[in-house]
């Protein structure tokens, strides 16, 4: 008597009985997941190698090392073997950052960072801070200008004192530091100055008059400086971003008007690790200018140059939109 009981089907037999679309999906999804994971793993490895190649044994100064981006850069460059000089306004927080870096790295493969109090809002303290930076190692190879002060308000509501404070933090401070270290770089015929700047150094958005003015000013300074110091082997790079996100609440706080699209990258802006990776790549390939932004803000930069009336109309529409929303 023959038995009707059949053995269990193999996985491949089961797939052959399935609809071709489902079969393709079942096979492709794991493959896509594996390839995506592999891509991100390789990306992390490459960024790590680039950071070690570009900064190992080099003296790297980071201003506002206590910010999200500053801490991210400090971690990347410290692990990459750089001789770090970390600058910030609070000595206690700088010491906390120092402890965090020490706990997260191999002391036999890294150099203990040096700390310098630096406040661009206090211009009287700048000469002493510059001297201290130069005394740390007697020279420096890379200087990352990372600090920034933001203010959002109608022009008529901002006092001249606030305008001056913005200019000190966003223009006069970085410029004073750059001028202070340039003689050392020129004498050694080498170095890299990297300015982390807002996209508002290229386009101006309403209710940020003083902020945009300071960003335009510092952008112009470093653009001019680039040509002046090239003969000495000194590189000057600028990275313009929409904004560096620190938290979800900050991103949600971004304006909901039409022109808000011109300075937001995505719901959480540019993350510190994305910006740090771009800084590493820029230092490695010595690119002169980088814009970290989606297509719309980049298009706005070109529109400002080639179709200024269209750009101004969009800005005005955004202001009218905001005013109407406040009345509702």
């Amino acid at each position: 008597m023959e038995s009707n009981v059949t053995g269990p089907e193999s996985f491949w037999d089961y797939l052959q009985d399935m609809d071709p679309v489902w079969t393709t999906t079942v096979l492709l999804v794991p493959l896509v997941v594996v390839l995506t994971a592999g891509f991100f793993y390789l990306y992390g490895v490459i960024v790590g190698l680039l950071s070690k190649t570009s900064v190992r044994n080099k003296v790297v100064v980071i201003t506002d090392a206590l910010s999200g981006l500053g801490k991210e850069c400090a971690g990347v460059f410290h692990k990459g073997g750089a001789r770090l000089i970390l600058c910030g306004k609070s000595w206690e927080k700088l010491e906390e950052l120092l402890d965090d870096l020490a706990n997260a790295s191999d002391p036999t493969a890294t150099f203990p960072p040096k700390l310098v109090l630096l406040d661009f809002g206090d211009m009287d303290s700048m000469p002493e801070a510059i001297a201290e930076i130069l005394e740390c190692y007697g020279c420096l190879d890379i200087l990352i200008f990372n600090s920034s002060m933001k203010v959002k308000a109608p022009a008529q509501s901002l006092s001249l004192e606030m305008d001056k404070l913005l200019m000190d933090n966003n223009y006069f401070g970085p410029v004073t530091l750059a001028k202070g270290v340039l003689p050392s770089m020129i004498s050694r015929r080498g170095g890299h100055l990297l300015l982390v700047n807002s996209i508002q150094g290229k386009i101006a958005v309403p209710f940020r008059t003083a902020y945009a003015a300071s960003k335009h000013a510092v952008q112009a300074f470093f653009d001019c400086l680039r040509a002046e110091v090239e003969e000495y082997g000194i590189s000057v790079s600028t990275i313009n971003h929409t904004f560096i996100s620190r938290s979800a609440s900050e991103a949600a706080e971004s304006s909901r008007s039409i022109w808000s699209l011109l300075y937001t990258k995505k719901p959480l802006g540019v993350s510190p690790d994305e910006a740090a990776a771009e800084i590493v790549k820029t230092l490695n390939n010595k690119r002169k200018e980088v814009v970290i932004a989606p297509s719309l803000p980049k298009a706005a930069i070109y529109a400002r140059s080639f179709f200024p009336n269209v750009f101004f109309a969009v800005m005005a529409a955004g202001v009218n939109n905001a005013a109407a929303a406040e009345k509702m």
Side-chain angles (χ1 to χ4, degrees), residues 170-247:
N170 297 346
Y171 175 73
F172 287 114
V175 167
T176 302
L177 179 55
K179 289 183 176 182
V181 303
L182 270 176
S184 173
M185 287 186 167
I186 290 174
S187 67
R188 298 178 68 236
R189 302 194 73 81
H192 199 145
L193 302 175
L194 188 148
L195 172 69
V196 180
N197 199 19
S198 168
I199 198 171
Q200 291 187 60
K202 292 184 170 293
I203 54 174
V205 174
F207 302 116
R208 289 163 177 79
T209 49
Y211 176 71
S214 66
K215 291 301 182 180
H216 271 70
V218 75
Q219 181 80 28
F221 175 86
F222 281 92
D223 284 345
C224 293
L225 182 64
R226 182 182 296 115
E228 293 182 19
V229 299
E230 186 173 356
E231 64 176 303
Y232 303 111
I234 300 172
S235 301
V236 177
S237 302
T238 59
I239 295 180
N240 297 84
H241 58 80
T242 47
F243 72 96
I244 305 296
S245 63
R246 288 178 294 186
S247 64

Side-chain angles (χ1 to χ4, degrees), residues 263-283:
Y263 58 90
T264 55
K265 176 177 172 66
K266 51 190 180 182
L268 295 180
V270 182
S271 66
D273 60 313
E274 287 176 315
E278 196 63 55
I279 288 173
V280 169
K281 288 190 291 184
T282 302
L283 291 172

Side-chain angles (χ1 to χ4, degrees), residues 28-324:
L28 283 181
V29 169
L31 180 62
V32 170
V33 171
V34 171
L35 289 175
T36 303
F39 171 79
F40 282 108
Y41 173 77
L42 288 175
Y43 177 78
V45 170
I46 291 171
V47 169
L49 290 174
L50 284 176
S51 66
K52 292 179 180 179
T53 302
S54 59
V55 302
R56 178 165 293 282
N57 293 323
K58 292 187 177 179
V59 178
V60 180
V61 181
I62 304 175
T63 69
D64 196 11
L66 299 175
S67 65
L69 177 57
K71 290 179 179 178
E72 186 70 28
C73 287
V76 170
F77 294 152
H78 183 58
K79 290 178 181 178
R83 301 172 188 265
L84 282 179
I85 302 175
L86 305 176
C87 304
K89 298 179 182 179
S90 169
W91 187 259
E92 291 75 16
K93 292 182 179 179
L94 283 172
E95 288 184 324
E96 289 176 9
L97 176 58
L98 181 65
D99 292 338
D100 292 340
L101 293 174
N103 294 332
S105 61
D106 179 3
T108 63
T110 57
F111 299 95
K114 296 184 181 294
L115 310 179
V116 175
L117 281 175
L118 177 67
D119 182 2
F120 285 153
D122 182 8
M123 292 301 296
D124 293 335
S125 67
M126 287 299 295
E128 182 180 349
I130 293 171
E132 191 174 347
I133 288 172
L134 292 173
E135 286 173 4
C136 286
Y137 290 102
C139 64
L140 66 155
D141 300 296
I142 297 169
L143 174 51
I144 299 174
F145 298 90
N146 170 51
S147 53
S148 180
M149 179 181 179
K150 300 177 182 178
V151 171
K152 175 184 176 182
Q156 68 274 14
S157 68
L158 285 177
S159 65
L160 282 177
E161 287 73 20
M162 179 56 71
D163 288 347
K164 291 176 181 177
L165 185 59
L166 274 167
M167 290 301 293
D168 283 347
N169 278 275
N170 297 346
Y171 175 73
F172 287 114
V175 167
T176 302
L177 179 55
K179 289 183 176 182
V181 303
L182 270 176
S184 173
M185 287 186 167
I186 290 174
S187 67
R188 298 178 68 236
R189 302 194 73 81
H192 199 145
L193 302 175
L194 188 148
L195 172 69
V196 180
N197 199 19
S198 168
I199 198 171
Q200 291 187 60
K202 292 184 170 293
I203 54 174
V205 174
F207 302 116
R208 289 163 177 79
T209 49
Y211 176 71
S214 66
K215 291 301 182 180
H216 271 70
V218 75
Q219 181 80 28
F221 175 86
F222 281 92
D223 284 345
C224 293
L225 182 64
R226 182 182 296 115
E228 293 182 19
V229 299
E230 186 173 356
E231 64 176 303
Y232 303 111
I234 300 172
S235 301
V236 177
S237 302
T238 59
I239 295 180
N240 297 84
H241 58 80
T242 47
F243 72 96
I244 305 296
S245 63
R246 288 178 294 186
S247 64
S249 59
E250 178 189 359
E253 215 173 89
S254 61
S255 175
R256 298 178 179 84
S257 59
I258 293 174
W259 37 263
S260 69
L261 296 173
L262 295 175
Y263 58 90
T264 55
K265 176 177 172 66
K266 51 190 180 182
L268 295 180
V270 182
S271 66
D273 60 313
E274 287 176 315
E278 196 63 55
I279 288 173
V280 169
K281 288 190 291 184
T282 302
L283 291 172
N284 193 60
N285 58 30
K286 298 186 184 300
R287 287 187 64 182
K288 294 178 174 60
E289 185 175 78
V290 177
V291 176
I292 311 177
S295 301
L296 186 57
K298 289 181 179 178
I301 294 174
Y302 290 106
R304 173 63 182 85
S305 299
F306 298 106
F307 308 101
N309 288 336
V310 174
F311 178 83
F312 297 146
V314 172
M315 295 298 100
V319 173
N320 293 335
N321 244 11

